[in-house]
């Protein structure tokens, strides 16, 4: 991806704490003589783009889950903890520049769903949602299919039979 980040960086090191990455969407002017709509700046945190893209991808029929194997496993544990909430950003990575963003999605698809059609529908929905909600131009949406969910892959424990009595 070739999007330049406009986020400030904190000093490197194990104890350095980096602020959440944000992108200035519109440079604002100051002063009472400026129109009200242009007074101040609008910044969009990278997490906003992640969430918008994650929700938009999950809206497409045939998307079973998002994220790689390890992140799905950790997410399943987190989802079962009382009071825990689902991570809509799981499986979504973004690079946000001043006016553009690039998005990477990791998906698990339902068995029997045409992958090329699903990837196209996901791209279209994600691009539409991110551009409409954030005003950023989406330069690319890369879709990686990590797995296919089969009907036998339910989250129940497999039955085991003993070989000895």
């Amino acid at each position: 991806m070739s999007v330049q980040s406009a986020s400030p960086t904190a000093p490197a090191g194990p104890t350095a704490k980096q602020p959440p990455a944000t992108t200035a969407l519109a440079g604002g002017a100051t002063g009472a003589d400026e129109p009200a709509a242009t007074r101040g700046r609008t910044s969009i945190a990278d997490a906003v783009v992640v969430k918008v893209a994650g929700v938009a991808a999950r809206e497409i029929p045939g998307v079973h889950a998002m994220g790689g194997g390890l992140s799905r496993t950790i997410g399943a544990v987190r989802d079962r903890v009382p009071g825990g909430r689902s991570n809509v950003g799981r499986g979504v990575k973004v690079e946000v520049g001043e006016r553009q963003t690039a998005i990477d999605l990791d998906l698990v698809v339902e068995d029997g769903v045409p992958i090329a059609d699903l990837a196209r529908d996901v791209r279209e929905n994600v691009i539409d949602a991110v551009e409409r909600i954030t005003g950023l131009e989406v330069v690319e949406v890369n879709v990686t299919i990590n797995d296919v969910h089969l009907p036998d892959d339910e989250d129940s424990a497999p039955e085991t039979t003993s070989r000895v009595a």
Side-chain angles (χ1 to χ4, degrees):
M1 289 186 233
S2 61
V3 177
Q4 296 296 319
S5 178
S7 304
T9 57
T15 59
K17 192 169 189 177
Q18 293 190 358
T22 60
T23 297
L25 184 60
T30 58
D33 56 338
E34 294 293 327
T38 62
R39 292 184 202 169
R41 253 188 347 215
T42 302
S43 298
I44 298 174
D46 293 4
V48 172
V49 178
V50 167
K51 287 182 179 183
V52 170
V55 169
R58 284 177 174 79
E59 290 175 347
I60 301 302
V63 174
H64 175 74
M66 294 183 64
L70 181 61
S71 73
R72 285 195 328 267
T73 302
I74 293 169
V77 171
R78 184 182 299 140
D79 292 346
R80 292 181 185 184
V81 173
R85 55 182 185 183
S86 174
N87 180 1
V88 296
R90 184 182 320 137
V92 182
K93 291 181 239 155
V94 300
E95 278 187 59
V96 181
E98 291 181 26
R99 294 175 307 277
Q100 298 177 326
T101 186
I103 303 167
D104 294 326
L105 303 170
D106 293 329
L107 305 177
V108 177
V109 299
E110 294 288 344
D111 182 38
V113 174
I115 291 174
D117 294 342
L118 177 90
R120 182 195 64 237
D121 293 345
V122 166
R123 272 189 194 93
E124 288 175 356
N125 204 45
V126 167
I127 290 169
D128 178 59
V130 171
E131 289 184 344
R132 180 175 36 85
I133 292 171
T134 68
L136 295 168
E137 175 189 3
V138 178
V139 294
E140 66 183 10
V141 175
N142 299 310
V143 177
T144 301
I145 307 300
N146 285 324
D147 201 358
V148 174
H149 178 259
L150 302 174
D152 300 348
D153 290 347
E154 295 307 314
D155 294 335
S156 61
E159 291 183 28
T160 57
T161 58
S162 176
R163 298 187 306 160
V164 295

